[in-house]
Amino acid sequence: MNEKQFIEALKEKGIELSEQQIAQFNKYFELLVEWNEKMNLTAITDLEGVYLKHFYDSISASFYFDFTKVTSVCDVGAGAGFPSIPIKICFPHLQITIVDSLNKRITFLNHLTNELNLEGMTFVHARAEEFGQNATYREKFDVVTARAVARLSVLSELCLPLAKEGGYFVALKAAAGAEELKDATKAISTLGGKLKEEFAFHLPVEESERSLYVFDKIKSTPKKYPRKPGVPNKTPII
């Protein structure tokens, strides 16, 4: 997917990019490739791959979830900024908080944000489990999102404690999503979530399968969750 196809594909979905937004995506691509030579941010560095598998794939969440109706978004384990920064470029009003366990990625994200002139961005260097127990952030966000971080049974323990009651957890998954959802049923319920909607679709061009899950945060998460770093991954709630 080249830049022109990217612009057209978003237009078909109702997102018309301004010249400034197009330039921001272009700069994002350049910086991603440049910094990737110094640190491992992504295995995908060709323009067509980045525009499709990172930019378009991230923004696809907004085809099914209305980001115009929320303000605060927390992105757990965003790596090089996916999905939240492409979404932020399209919806500039969003206040984005990214938590990541690697400080060098935070350094990249700070530089990227400055270069793209993005406002309302906060980066926190922390393990997601500890971040979720921090009173400053716990149950404070309208939306918590994550893309390809962990299995849904694990991911829900990292994300749902951060969503406020009445808020949402939006999980971007590949083809194995349905299987993961079955395994995560108990965890989601225990942590105060409830499946609101699920969507299956294909990325254009390569037709790879994608799943998107939107969970309502219907009640407060019990205080003991998330558990200590590493525990959710070793012994998920099942």
Side-chain angles (χ1 to χ4, degrees):
M1 177 178 274
N2 62 31
E3 186 182 70
K4 189 179 175 194
Q5 290 170 319
F6 172 71
I7 294 163
E8 284 302 313
L10 290 186
K11 196 173 179 181
E12 283 172 21
K13 296 289 188 180
I15 298 172
E16 292 212 37
L17 297 179
S18 66
E19 289 301 319
Q20 182 195 6
Q21 288 167 315
I22 292 166
Q24 284 173 314
F25 279 113
N26 188 267
K27 187 75 177 167
Y28 195 166
F29 168 69
E30 288 175 2
L31 289 167
L32 184 66
V33 172
E34 180 192 324
W35 278 64
N36 203 58
E37 291 175 6
K38 298 181 264 184
M39 63 176 75
N40 182 26
L41 290 168
T42 175
I44 301 163
T45 53
D46 63 296
L47 185 140
E48 286 83 2
V50 170
Y51 270 80
L52 176 66
K53 295 178 185 175
H54 284 326
F55 296 168
Y56 185 89
D57 192 24
S58 293
I59 298 161
S60 67
S62 74
F63 307 157
Y64 305 98
F65 180 86
D66 189 355
F67 282 93
T68 65
K69 297 202 168 137
V70 294
T71 305
S72 58
V73 177
C74 181
D75 190 356
V76 175
F82 308 119
S84 58
I85 293 183
I87 291 169
K88 165 74 175 177
I89 293 171
C90 294
F91 303 93
H93 75 282
L94 293 173
Q95 301 288 311
I96 306 278
T97 299
I98 291 178
V99 55
D100 200 279
S101 60
L102 266 189
N103 206 32
K104 61 183 182 179
R105 285 202 287 252
I106 300 287
T107 304
F108 166 71
L109 293 170
N110 269 309
H111 179 74
L112 176 70
T113 296
N114 290 334
E115 291 290 311
L116 300 187
N117 291 318
L118 296 177
E119 295 177 353
M121 302 291 297
T122 303
F123 304 112
V124 182
H125 174 226
R127 291 288 297 264
E129 295 95 333
E130 291 164 340
F131 185 78
Q133 287 289 0
N134 185 327
T136 307
Y137 305 107
R138 186 179 177 86
E139 301 196 322
K140 293 290 193 294
F141 298 96
D142 298 335
V143 185
V144 183
T145 189
R147 172 180 176 254
V149 172
R151 301 186 310 283
L152 204 47
S153 53
V154 178
L155 200 57
S156 54
E157 185 168 349
L158 306 181
C159 294
L160 276 166
L162 296 164
K164 60 172 69 163
E165 282 187 68
Y168 308 93
F169 164 36
V170 177
L172 290 78
K173 286 282 171 187
E179 202 58 43
E180 289 187 25
L181 183 63
K182 275 188 215 162
D183 293 341
T185 305
K186 185 180 177 188
I188 287 154
S189 169
T190 301
L191 296 157
K194 183 183 180 185
L195 181 65
K196 180 177 189 252
E197 293 174 293
E198 57 184 296
F199 305 94
F201 57 100
H202 292 84
L203 276 190
V205 186
E206 63 170 32
E207 292 299 307
S208 53
E209 291 178 50
R210 292 290 184 270
S211 308
L212 185 92
Y213 299 99
V214 179
F215 300 95
D216 281 327
K217 179 73 176 283
I218 57 170
K219 62 179 192 285
S220 186
T221 301
K223 284 190 171 54
K224 71 173 183 176
Y225 300 109
R227 291 165 291 168
K228 289 182 178 171
V231 176
N233 202 35
K234 283 191 195 121
T235 53
I237 305 164
I238 48 173

